[in-house]
Amino acid sequence: QEQLVESGGGLVQPGGSLRLSCAASGFTLGYYAMGWFRQAPGKGREGVSSIATDDDSAWYADSVTGRFTITRDNAKDTIYLQMDNLKPEDTAVYYCATGRRFPLLASDVVVWGQGTQVTVSS
């Protein structure tokens, strides 16, 4: 069974950093585009970042460009989202996802993780 399991969420002060991890099981990362989405209370799910299958090309939402970095480790079947200079508006549940198209759109996702809460507050 194909699964994605996120970890690394938590509470952090504005300006702080967190690193999210997403481990895949039941499939090999090297054949899929991967990405992160988030959903804040009362809002729809939005794309945050995605990474290509072969050349590690990356896409970022304008709101996180320059602050977030997505990376992948195919040997460990894991992707990461390094989040720096976090802002209160980054507060959301963050979801890992995979699909066959890059940049990864929500409509192209074939497997979703269960989500991890990120709260940015003083």
Side-chain angles (χ1 to χ4, degrees):
Q1 183 178 1
E2 299 171 338
Q3 286 187 318
L4 297 171
V5 179
E6 302 99 333
S7 60
L11 173 64
V12 64
Q13 293 185 342
S17 298
L18 282 175
R19 190 176 81 153
L20 305 183
S21 300
C22 172
S25 63
F27 64 100
T28 302
L29 279 188
Y31 297 100
Y32 293 83
M34 301 291 298
W36 293 92
F37 294 77
R38 67 186 181 186
Q39 188 165 16
K43 295 187 177 181
R45 193 169 295 189
E46 64 172 353
V48 174
S49 179
S50 57
I51 190 165
T53 303
D54 46 9
D55 63 0
D56 284 345
S57 296
W59 171 87
Y60 298 95
D62 289 344
S63 59
V64 306
T65 297
R67 300 188 298 120
F68 290 11
T69 304
I70 189 171
T71 55
R72 65 191 299 157
D73 185 338
N74 289 343
K76 296 182 179 180
D77 288 330
T78 300
I79 67 166
Y80 306 93
L81 186 68
Q82 177 66 39
M83 305 186 295
D84 298 318
N85 190 22
L86 282 160
K87 303 176 181 181
E89 52 264 42
D90 295 318
T91 296
V93 178
Y94 283 70
Y95 297 90
C96 179
T98 184
R100 292 188 178 273
R101 297 181 65 178
F102 173 79
L104 188 61
L105 303 179
S107 57
D108 295 324
V109 171
V110 295
V111 180
W112 289 98
Q114 83 287 353
T116 185
Q117 176 70 45
V118 172
T119 302
V120 185
S121 175
S122 55

